[in-house]
Amino acid sequence: MSQHRPKIVAVDGPAGSGKSSICDAVSRRLGWTYINTGALYRGVGLLALGRGIDLNDSAGIAAMVDQIAPGLTWRGEDRTLWFEGRNLSLEMNSEQAGYAASKVAKQAAVRDCLLPVQRQLTLSAPIGALVDGRDIGTVVFPDADLKIFVTASLEERSRRRLNQLGSDADTQSIDDIKAGIAKRDERDQGRDTAPLKQADDAVVLDTSDLSMDESILALIRLLKDRGLVD
């Protein structure tokens, strides 16, 4: 009997492009599984910090990933990452988690160890999976049924980040935010291991001038065009 393989849509793009929010909303509408690979790197970073492992010690972190991989669970219904009964997602949005993720994500040994984890979480999806990140279409699932590169202008991504900050927006200017996002783009695109780049066969979805609802409908239309949903 052949093994079930869900439909897989690889979604890549820079920070602030809206890909996570769009994928989350679309997967809920379709009853698909949403896999946020950024959460995986944040979770690994948090666990490394908790165990006192130096974030520059790629061999030590890779060994930890091998050890903890069987205990990592992604709960699709509420988009949370768990490790042995601990909800890591509760700590995901901290500055500490973001910093730790950026340190571990650029290490080849760590990314290699997390590849099978990302694939296993995705392949367990009952119907289809929207998987987002920086290297999904180029490295994690080069054979995905559809690859989408979600992007938006630096100005629009900065404006969204400012809105996201809400009451904390007073502490940062739009120029500071723009500089921070530009620096992150440069870091993501310039790293030696699995850099952020558009797959050759990816469809570009530019959300600069689209509302969230329009972006959601645009992604669903792409899935329909490819025959992945009715």
Side-chain angles (χ1 to χ4, degrees), residues 24 27-28 32-35 73-80:
D24 187 15
S27 62
R28 288 183 192 279
W32 282 28
T33 301
Y34 166 50
I35 307 287
T73 310
W74 175 258
R75 284 199 349 195
E77 63 273 19
D78 57 4
R79 279 64 173 160
T80 52

Side-chain angles (χ1 to χ4, degrees), residues 108-131:
V110 178
R111 296 193 80 92
D112 287 346
C113 285
L114 279 175
L115 260 183
V117 179
Q118 294 175 71
R119 288 171 177 156
Q120 174 242 318
L121 292 175
T122 303
L123 292 171
S124 64
I127 304 170
L130 283 159
V131 192

Side-chain angles (χ1 to χ4, degrees), residues 48-203:
L49 286 173
R51 294 173 180 224
I53 301 173
D54 189 315
L55 293 177
N56 294 309
D57 180 6
S58 59
I61 295 174
M64 181 197 77
V65 171
D66 282 339
Q67 182 187 15
I68 67 170
L72 282 172
T73 310
W74 175 258
R75 284 199 349 195
E77 63 273 19
D78 57 4
R79 279 64 173 160
T80 52
L81 181 70
W82 293 73
F83 176 66
E84 295 182 344
R86 174 185 169 193
N87 184 358
L88 297 174
S89 298
L90 296 174
E91 306 156 64
M92 289 285 183
N93 292 326
S94 68
E95 288 293 328
Q96 187 182 43
Y99 172 75
S102 68
K103 295 288 281 187
V104 301
K106 65 183 182 182
Q107 297 171 20
V110 178
R111 296 193 80 92
D112 287 346
C113 285
L114 279 175
L115 260 183
V117 179
Q118 294 175 71
R119 288 171 177 156
Q120 174 242 318
L121 292 175
T122 303
L123 292 171
S124 64
I127 304 170
L130 283 159
V131 192
D132 83 353
R134 301 285 193 277
D135 63 342
I136 310 304
T138 54
V139 177
V140 184
F141 285 109
D143 58 346
D145 296 294
L146 174 62
K147 299 174 190 177
I148 300 171
F149 192 83
V150 180
T151 189
S153 67
L154 178 59
E155 288 72 20
E156 177 60 20
R157 290 187 286 136
S158 303
R159 189 189 65 78
R160 290 172 185 172
R161 178 59 181 154
L162 190 66
N163 288 341
Q164 198 177 41
L165 286 170
S167 59
D168 295 329
D170 294 340
T171 62
Q172 279 189 288
S173 71
I174 189 73
D175 289 336
D176 289 339
I177 292 170
K178 193 181 289 187
I181 292 177
K183 189 173 182 180
R184 184 170 175 181
D185 286 349
E186 187 179 351
R187 189 170 64 231
D188 287 344
Q189 292 165 1
R191 67 181 177 219
D192 294 333
T193 305
L196 165 67
K197 67 177 181 178
Q198 180 187 329
D200 293 337
D201 52 349
V203 179

